[in-house]
Amino acid sequence: MQTSAIILAGGAGKRMQSKTNKVLHNLCGRPVVEHVINACQETGISRFYVVIGRDASQVRERLGDDYTYVLQEEQLGTGHAALQVKPYYQHEPHVFVLCGDAPLITGATLKRMQQIHLEQNADVTLLTAIFPEPGDYGRVLRDANGQVCGLVEVKDATLEQQAITEINAGFYCFRARELFQALEQLTNDNAQGEYYLTDVIQTIYQAGGRVASCTLDDNNESLGINDRVRLAEAEKVLRQRIRNRLMLAGVTFLQPETCLVDAGVSIGQDTVIYPGVILEGNTTIGRDCVIGPNTRLVDCQVGAGVSIEFSVARQSTLGDNCVVGPYAYLRPRTELAAGVKVGTFVELKNSQVGAGSKIPHQSYVGDATIGAGVNVGAGTIFVNYDGRDKYRSVVEDGAFIGCNSNLVSPVHIGQDAYVAAGSTVTKDVPQDALAVARSRQENKEGWVARRRQRIP
Ligand code: UD1
Ligand code: CA
């Protein structure tokens, strides 16, 4: 079936109490509205009309150029929003109209709606759910034959109607011609003075059209983000879905409910995630890793067989079999080749480290290129900043940096060279050389005994 989708994303969202449009709020690493678009994409829908109003340019910027944006100049209601699409609408005979603030909808449900819509040759098919306490959702009205004959918003509902437990989830599949015809007849004669999309159902019914419905199995899918309590509820549900999907694909979670994994994260088979792990953005993790406890990775690429505990990494790449932590901090543009060890209280930034190199204890490595098989001794500091500019240093393969050294950048340490412990290196060190850059030790024999005589 040729279907396109109208996504309503222009509302004021007052209940959110935010300076940002609610559809842009972050939910598991994506804006709320993107989850709705993703569900559509799963069903093969490729043409989208996104109605924007509040923070229009921000919404556009965030979602990118793949969609047709339709500006709703004034926020006069969901029906008014949908009507704005009419002049831009292409030829697909059927169209979904979806609330951009209900991110838990799944592709499977949209497919089911599509199927019912076609099988019943409906003019509109709407998604409903049964809630014992339906709160602020619109209520579904049915005629004597049980056919849906209209929707009523809570603010306009009689007490009797308010007691109805079947609600409107805010997702509809329309025959496009019928939708736009009915939208043009809308009035705003209601409690909120808005043009309600929901009134279209009654218009179609009264004109003798066929109104079909599809009832949700999982009520969570209808959850609309009207305020931050709902946002938190949606997050809880989505996090669990994400973890369950990963577990079914072969990832072990210990205490899964303590781990937060974003929608865009992928994790390989037989990786074990310990409690307190947060995986954000476009993080990918390979097979057979052990991550956590208490580790946060943001936009990181992690190979296979890696172990990371009690650490934070952002925009970093870790090759296979790296060992990181406890208590390491990898800042953006850190690249570790295979088998690198980054140990306790080590911070790296904008640095590449070659295969098998070790930085085991209390070091700062900023703006450095470190070769393979290098040992960076405890307490080594790359002095990359002179208070005004940053400089890079290079350490070639096989070099050995003794403990408590300062490498004052820019400096070049040659292949297999040694830097004596406690050195402050300000000049390049040639290949195979030993650099000693510290004052020589002097022992004053008998000094303590003489002092004792002077000061008894
Ligand atoms: C709407 C439905 C309600 C349903 C609920 C499901 C109407 C009148 N009511 O109520 O029956 O139970 O969704 O979640 O449709 N929007 C615009 N322009 C506007 C107004 C809204 O683009 O002028 C967008 C919003 O950004 C939002 C969506 O439409 O994404 C729904 O609007 P909202 O105000 O949240 O509707 P509800 O009160 O939740
Ligand atoms: Ca809503």
Side-chain angles (χ1 to χ4, degrees):
M1 174 168 86
Q2 282 251 309
T3 314
S4 46
I6 296 173
I7 312 280
L8 306 180
K14 290 197 195 89
R15 289 164 282 183
M16 200 69 181
Q17 305 286 345
S18 176
K19 62 181 178 307
T20 311
N21 184 331
K22 63 179 167 179
V23 302
L24 286 185
H25 277 250
N26 179 35
L27 178 66
C28 301
R30 290 178 188 165
V32 164
V33 61
E34 205 169 289
H35 291 277
V36 181
I37 293 175
N38 292 155
C40 292
Q41 284 161 339
E42 279 175 42
T43 73
I45 295 170
S46 57
R47 197 193 303 280
F48 292 90
Y49 304 89
V50 183
V51 180
I52 49 179
R54 179 174 176 189
D55 304 324
S57 53
Q58 263 175 280
V59 177
R60 234 185 138 127
E61 203 174 301
R62 228 13 237 288
L63 297 182
D65 296 331
D66 293 341
Y67 318 115
T68 302
Y69 292 95
V70 176
L71 184 66
Q72 182 193 21
E73 304 254 3
E74 268 182 294
Q75 280 53 72
L76 302 179
T78 48
H80 178 260
L83 182 59
Q84 306 310 303
V85 174
K86 194 178 176 202
Y88 303 90
Y89 194 75
Q90 307 271 327
H91 38 267
E92 283 87 355
H94 301 280
V95 59
F96 272 107
V97 179
L98 310 173
C99 285
D101 69 343
L104 297 186
I105 189 71
T106 61
T109 296
L110 294 177
K111 262 187 210 152
R112 198 151 66 87
M113 284 176 72
Q114 242 176 5
Q115 220 170 0
I116 291 173
H117 187 70
L118 288 186
E119 276 168 14
Q120 302 198 9
N121 194 23
D123 294 295
V124 55
T125 302
L126 67 127
L127 188 64
T128 78
I130 311 290
F131 277 88
E133 286 179 43
D136 61 357
Y137 289 106
R139 307 297 202 263
V140 177
L141 307 177
R142 289 183 181 268
D143 67 13
N145 302 319
Q147 207 202 339
V148 175
C149 57
L151 296 171
V152 62
E153 291 305 290
V154 177
K155 287 179 179 152
D156 302 289
T158 62
L159 282 177
E160 207 179 319
Q161 289 169 333
Q162 282 179 32
I164 295 171
T165 54
E166 187 178 17
I167 64 97
N168 167 31
F171 295 94
Y172 323 80
C173 189
F174 285 97
R175 205 189 293 279
R177 199 184 49 226
E178 269 63 27
L179 168 68
F180 291 115
Q181 259 171 25
L183 283 174
E184 293 204 305
Q185 296 170 41
L186 284 182
T187 64
N188 62 354
D189 182 16
N190 54 51
Q192 302 185 77
E194 287 184 2
Y195 296 89
Y196 290 163
L197 173 61
T198 44
D199 286 350
V200 157
I201 306 300
Q202 195 183 11
T203 311
I204 291 175
Y205 174 83
Q206 283 176 351
R210 166 119 197 94
V211 183
S213 68
C214 171
T215 305
L216 276 172
D217 298 325
D218 175 3
N219 279 354
N220 286 325
E221 287 193 44
S222 67
L223 218 123
I225 310 291
N226 290 338
D227 55 39
R228 299 198 200 220
V229 176
R230 288 272 188 78
L231 180 65
E233 275 173 46
E235 199 209 321
K236 192 168 170 212
V237 174
L238 198 53
R239 295 278 185 207
Q240 189 171 4
R241 266 194 211 164
I242 293 166
R243 289 188 304 253
N244 287 351
R245 168 171 55 75
L246 290 165
M247 286 190 267
L248 292 172
V251 179
T252 297
F253 278 85
L254 308 179
Q255 303 269 349
E257 60 292 342
T258 67
C259 299
L260 308 181
V261 183
D262 276 357
V265 171
S266 73
I267 308 178
Q269 258 180 24
D270 292 315
T271 284
V272 179
I273 310 288
Y274 273 72
V277 169
I278 302 173
L279 303 173
E280 292 179 71
N282 295 317
T283 294
T284 64
I285 295 172
R287 293 168 169 252
D288 301 314
C289 294
V290 179
I291 311 293
N294 295 1
T295 289
R296 182 180 192 193
L297 306 181
V298 184
D299 297 323
C300 288
Q301 270 59 59
V302 177
V306 171
S307 139
I308 311 175
E309 57 179 328
F310 294 98
S311 292
V312 176
R314 296 170 193 280
Q315 290 143 51
S316 294
T317 306
L318 287 72
D320 294 348
N321 304 314
C322 284
V323 177
V324 173
Y327 309 108
Y329 183 22
L330 310 184
R331 289 165 53 199
R333 297 191 304 284
T334 293
E335 291 170 28
L336 309 182
V340 168
K341 179 180 165 58
V342 172
T344 315
F345 302 112
V346 172
E347 175 178 339
L348 285 98
K349 182 212 79 172
N350 190 23
S351 293
Q352 294 81 45
V353 183
S357 290
K358 294 186 169 65
I359 313 168
H361 329 275
Q362 294 118 327
S363 283
Y364 173 63
V365 179
D367 304 309
T369 303
I370 296 176
V374 170
N375 189 88
V376 177
T380 297
I381 305 294
F382 284 70
V383 184
N384 63 326
Y385 185 48
D386 64 3
R388 206 189 62 185
D389 295 309
K390 301 265 166 79
Y391 303 93
R392 282 197 81 80
S393 278
V394 176
V395 179
E396 299 284 2
D397 294 353
F400 183 98
I401 313 298
C403 291
N404 199 29
S405 296
N406 298 308
L407 304 183
V408 182
S409 299
V411 83
H412 183 273
I413 312 294
Q415 193 178 328
D416 295 323
Y418 268 60
V419 170
S423 292
T424 291
V425 176
T426 55
K427 289 187 289 200
D428 290 355
V429 182
Q431 182 173 347
D432 288 333
L434 166 68
V436 186
R438 63 174 189 235
S439 51
R440 282 198 180 274
Q441 180 172 338
E442 185 189 350
N443 290 341
K444 301 194 172 177
E445 292 288 344
W447 182 86
V448 177
R450 289 196 298 279
R451 178 172 180 263
R452 227 181 265 127
Q453 276 178 350
R454 256 188 297 130
I455 316 161

